[in-house]
Amino acid sequence: MINPHFLYNTLDQLNWMAIESGQEKISKMLSLVCKMFRIGLSNGETVILIPDEMTHVDCYLQIQKIRWGSGSPTASRWTKSCIIIIFPG
């Protein structure tokens, strides 16, 4: 299995190559993938918080919008009741 640190660094290097060659869309997509990757790793935690999941979905939707333009979902709406959920311990 590939060490996540090396994969993240490789994605970051690809992002810088895209920036240097003026590929703004590719750079933005790579930045979003890196953000999703960081959320997915969640510092080794077994639980991902709801706000992080919401960010994950937003990143995915932004990638789709960059790729497909106006033919893709354009927004996600979150209510505050989704953000804070308290479960009895």
Side-chain angles (χ1 to χ4, degrees), residues 55-81:
T55 300
H56 200 261
V57 170
D58 285 333
C59 288
Y60 177 79
L61 291 175
Q62 287 181 57
I63 290 169
Q64 295 307 309
K65 184 172 179 155
I66 292 167
R67 172 65 180 97
W68 299 106
S70 62
S72 66
T74 57
S76 56
R77 294 183 189 192
W78 308 103
T79 64
K80 288 189 180 196
S81 63

Side-chain angles (χ1 to χ4, degrees), residues 18-33:
I19 290 169
E20 289 172 354
S21 64
Q23 299 293 323
E24 291 88 13
K25 286 183 180 180
I26 293 172
S27 171
K28 179 65 175 174
M29 291 173 85
L30 285 166
S31 293
L32 291 165
V33 168

Side-chain angles (χ1 to χ4, degrees), residues 39 48-58 78 82-85:
I39 291 168
I48 297 176
L49 300 175
I50 291 174
D52 292 335
E53 282 292 344
M54 292 164 39
T55 300
H56 200 261
V57 170
D58 285 333
W78 308 103
C82 290
I83 296 173
I84 300 172
I85 297 176

Side-chain angles (χ1 to χ4, degrees), residues 5-40:
H5 176 75
F6 294 125
L7 182 55
Y8 179 79
N9 283 346
T10 301
L11 289 170
D12 188 54
Q13 289 175 11
L14 291 170
N15 181 34
W16 280 107
M17 289 174 66
I19 290 169
E20 289 172 354
S21 64
Q23 299 293 323
E24 291 88 13
K25 286 183 180 180
I26 293 172
S27 171
K28 179 65 175 174
M29 291 173 85
L30 285 166
S31 293
L32 291 165
V33 168
C34 285
K35 191 172 192 176
M36 292 172 71
F37 189 59
R38 280 192 305 271
I39 291 168

